[in-house]
Amino acid sequence: MLVLAKDMRIESETETAGRRRVMAVLARSERVDIDKQIGAIEALPRGRNVRPVQIGLVMLRGRIAGIGAPFNLGEATVTRAVVRLPTGETGFSYVFGRDEEKANRAALVDALWQCPKWRATVESEIIAPLAQMLRRKDAVAAAETAATRVDFFTLVRGED
Amino acid sequence: MYVAVKGGERAIDAAHRLLARARRGDRSLPPVESAQIVEQLTLAVDRVMVEGSLYDRELAATAIKQARGDLIEAIFLVRAYRTTLARFGYSDPVETREMKLARRISATFKDLPGGQVLGPTFDYTHRLIDFDTDEPGSDDASPDHAYKERAATPRVAELLADEGLIERPSDSIDGPPADITREAPTFPARRDARLQTLARADEGYLLSLGYSTQRGYGRSHPFVGEIRFGEVDIEFFAEEVGFAVPLGRIRLTECEMVNQFKGSGTAPPQFTTGYGLAFGQSERKAIAMALVDRALRAQELGEECVAPAQDQEFVLSHADNVQATGFVEHLKLPHYVDFQSELSLVRLLRAEFDAAQTTLAREAAE
């Protein structure tokens, strides 16, 4: 156990999984929804940009025949931000699109999540409601799609 | 030869102002908003993203509006915008098996695992103009709330692969994937470079080439193994963060074509595949791309290369509509000096011809 506890890699993996989950929710959420959740929290520390927010490109890759070696499919616009809290935590964001404010908010939330004082609040006041919104949206889309499922039936021919 | 011609500036300025005026059309009507184009002309937006080779729905919509609906012009605008941005890197390859399906059909297996869902499709519509598309209630879907959520949906090729009846593409290549935006492809091009070229190729061009293979110019007996459309999560390994960061979701259409293959001295008879992958809901593009991908594999599969669609250099060199339109449309720009020299040449040749005719006539008279 002592060995495990000292293994920084294992410890950072759980931290990483948490940050990835939070980032996934933020990346998919609309900026107005993120803003609404952030705006409702009192005395939230303000972060400052470590470097200017930047809009750039990521080349998206597919796989040959869906399962084979990778190939370059085409690019997507991505905006990235780095935000540091007064307490020293640094948050990052890379999100699809060109919304600099959204990237800033996402980086701020990543930083706050890393801050022990704020993690619980971020989870309950920002991530949980946003994730709930996304789940609802997905469920509506899935239900609409499910209605178009084909139920084949074969007509039995009149043979004994 | 091009020569700077002065004197057009005022006319050009006025023409651009007139263009803006013409773009706006009847001012008594409200202007179209980009957001409306994103939501209501979705498939035009998808096409501009595919051929502009840039996934950004709002940007594509703005380009369509600026281009007055001329999609090739919009694609040109998107490509130009792209050159102004730095590239952060390459995403992890998308796993289309994990796609949140909005449509999934197969023309080869009726009862395939995961089933068939039609999704929002023009298939089986009567192609009659509907004058009531804006009627209240005409845009309601009929959700099925009793559905059960599914995990990943296996692909049709996997069903055949169990029996060894279909080829399995190699999952490794030498070095990183080709990137034609950094290095122009050389011929014969590798399949990764070909797919990248086809992915941004003009839809009409691929459609016609694919059609030509069906009509017998490089026949490959295609069946749609599977078409799927839906959302996929994309991740990007960001150096400074130290792990793969989720960027969000994009919509993709994928087509796996299953083709007959007789086998060769070294390969057993089995099905081969053609592959199409495109941004958004771009089904025609994905199908055509899969046909042309398969046709371009003729050489590697040891088939006879006789048809235009099998000629790599021909197909890949003429597939890009921004390049094509640049060269074709440049013909309308001033070529005054070129033409002057052609004119002098024809006059000279004509004088020589006339002189020779006169000599001939004189000799005949004598």
Side-chain angles (χ1 to χ4, degrees):
Chain A
M1 280 313 288
L2 192 68
V3 178
L4 274 183
K6 275 185 177 170
D7 190 339
M8 285 305 289
R9 206 182 56 220
I10 290 177
E11 205 173 296
S12 72
E13 261 168 13
T14 52
E15 180 95 356
T16 299
R19 286 178 67 194
R20 276 167 43 81
R21 174 176 49 77
V22 167
M23 285 174 170
V25 170
L26 293 166
R28 281 192 63 206
S29 296
E30 300 289 334
R31 193 229 295 178
V32 286
D33 297 328
I34 301 174
D35 273 352
K36 216 174 91 190
Q37 301 306 324
I38 291 180
I41 304 171
E42 276 176 45
L44 208 58
R46 293 166 65 95
R48 65 176 179 82
N49 281 113
V50 174
R51 65 167 181 231
V53 188
Q54 191 186 4
I55 300 172
L57 302 168
V58 167
M59 175 60 91
L60 306 179
R61 284 183 168 162
R63 288 187 177 283
I64 293 174
I67 49 175
F71 71 94
N72 291 311
L73 174 65
E75 289 163 314
T77 52
V78 169
T79 305
R80 67 178 176 191
V82 192
V83 169
R84 187 165 294 152
L85 298 179
T87 42
E89 291 82 1
T90 307
F92 293 88
S93 71
Y94 279 82
V95 289
F96 278 136
R98 288 166 291 124
D99 189 337
E100 299 186 358
E101 281 312 306
K102 176 178 168 177
N104 263 333
R105 303 291 197 285
L108 172 68
V109 175
D110 178 44
L112 289 169
W113 189 89
Q114 294 173 65
C115 182
K117 186 176 163 234
W118 286 100
R119 183 172 300 183
T121 311
V122 166
E123 288 284 3
S124 65
E125 306 303 310
I126 302 176
I127 300 307
L130 289 176
Q132 170 71 18
M133 239 181 275
L134 293 174
R135 269 198 303 276
R136 215 174 296 143
K137 210 168 98 182
D138 287 347
V140 170
E144 287 177 353
T145 300
T148 69
R149 179 169 297 277
V150 184
D151 290 314
F152 285 108
F153 58 90
T154 311
L155 294 173
V156 180
R157 291 164 65 177
E159 288 164 19
D160 287 68
Chain B
M1 181 183 180
Y2 307 96
V3 181
V5 180
K6 286 221 162 227
E9 296 94 334
R10 221 174 39 145
I12 290 170
D13 283 347
H16 290 169
R17 279 196 300 275
L18 186 57
L19 169 67
R21 178 73 197 84
R23 176 186 302 127
R24 178 62 179 85
D26 183 348
R27 287 187 222 187
S28 68
L29 297 169
V32 178
E33 286 172 29
S34 295
Q36 292 174 311
I37 296 175
V38 168
E39 292 300 320
Q40 297 172 43
L41 297 179
T42 318
L43 304 191
V45 168
D46 287 347
R47 183 162 181 182
V48 169
M49 294 198 301
V50 171
E51 293 167 36
S53 200
L54 185 63
Y55 196 101
D56 186 323
R57 304 175 72 204
E58 288 75 21
L59 189 78
T62 306
I64 289 170
K65 184 178 167 180
Q66 185 181 332
R68 307 176 66 197
D70 179 338
L71 297 190
I72 292 187
E73 184 70 23
I75 289 159
F76 200 157
L77 292 170
V78 166
R79 291 271 187 96
Y81 177 82
R82 174 210 164 266
T83 64
T84 64
L85 299 178
R87 190 189 279 172
F88 297 151
Y90 297 85
S91 82
D92 293 345
V94 303
E95 300 299 343
T96 49
R97 206 174 188 279
E98 314 282 332
M99 186 183 279
K100 309 281 178 269
L101 296 174
R103 171 167 168 80
R104 193 259 190 146
I105 55 162
S106 170
T108 50
F109 291 103
K110 182 164 58 74
D111 300 306
L112 71 170
Q116 305 210 23
V117 281
L118 299 181
T121 179
F122 294 125
D123 294 353
Y124 315 112
T125 60
H126 296 294
R127 267 76 183 208
L128 299 174
I129 296 272
D130 178 3
F131 293 98
D132 302 322
T133 48
D134 293 333
E135 285 290 301
S138 66
D139 54 359
D140 289 338
S142 49
D144 171 6
H145 295 292
Y147 80 99
K148 289 189 196 68
E149 202 166 336
R150 281 163 201 278
T153 312
R155 45 183 74 247
V156 163
E158 290 173 47
L159 305 176
L160 292 165
D162 291 344
E163 289 178 75
L165 294 179
I166 196 164
E167 61 168 351
R168 195 188 152 80
S170 146
D171 45 19
S172 66
I173 43 170
D174 293 335
D179 188 350
I180 60 159
T181 66
R182 295 284 160 94
E183 215 168 315
T186 51
F187 303 103
R190 250 176 18 185
R191 196 173 177 195
D192 52 344
R194 300 199 304 255
L195 285 171
Q196 189 185 7
T197 312
L198 297 179
R200 52 159 56 194
D202 184 83
E203 180 176 309
Y205 175 79
L206 291 188
L207 179 67
S208 296
L209 281 173
Y211 180 43
S212 75
T213 67
Q214 288 182 284
R215 291 195 64 256
Y217 293 88
R219 201 178 280 282
S220 60
H221 303 278
F223 292 92
V224 167
E226 178 170 352
I227 289 171
R228 48 173 78 190
F229 158 64
E231 291 190 335
V232 285
D233 291 296
I234 304 284
E235 297 194 344
F236 164 70
F237 184 86
E239 269 323 306
E240 79 270 37
V241 189
F243 55 82
V245 176
L247 298 174
R249 280 188 187 173
I250 64 164
R251 296 179 191 177
L252 287 178
T253 303
E254 181 184 49
C255 172
E256 186 144 39
M257 199 67 81
V258 178
N259 303 75
Q260 207 181 66
F261 179 54
K262 289 193 202 74
S264 67
T266 50
Q270 61 178 1
F271 291 108
T272 55
T273 59
Y275 188 64
L277 187 64
F279 292 152
Q281 187 174 7
S282 307
E283 198 160 290
R284 189 184 302 115
K285 162 76 184 227
I287 297 172
M289 177 175 169
L291 286 175
V292 178
D293 171 46
R294 176 59 184 80
L296 290 176
R297 298 183 62 205
Q299 205 177 351
E300 86 182 61
L301 293 170
E303 296 169 334
E304 214 184 349
C305 293
V306 287
Q310 295 168 322
D311 184 333
Q312 283 195 19
E313 189 160 354
F314 177 82
V315 171
L316 301 177
S317 304
H318 302 108
D320 191 290
N321 57 21
V322 175
Q323 280 174 7
T325 207
F327 204 45
V328 168
E329 288 201 60
H330 103 284
L331 290 173
K332 68 190 171 185
L333 300 177
H335 284 70
Y336 307 132
V337 176
D338 291 84
F339 191 69
Q340 279 304 318
S341 70
E342 293 277 313
L343 195 58
S344 318
L345 182 63
V346 173
R347 279 190 179 127
L348 183 69
L349 295 173
R350 185 58 189 265
E352 286 172 7
F353 178 81
D354 288 345
Q357 289 294 97
T358 314
T359 314
L360 273 180
R362 194 184 311 125
E363 283 168 5
E366 285 165 6

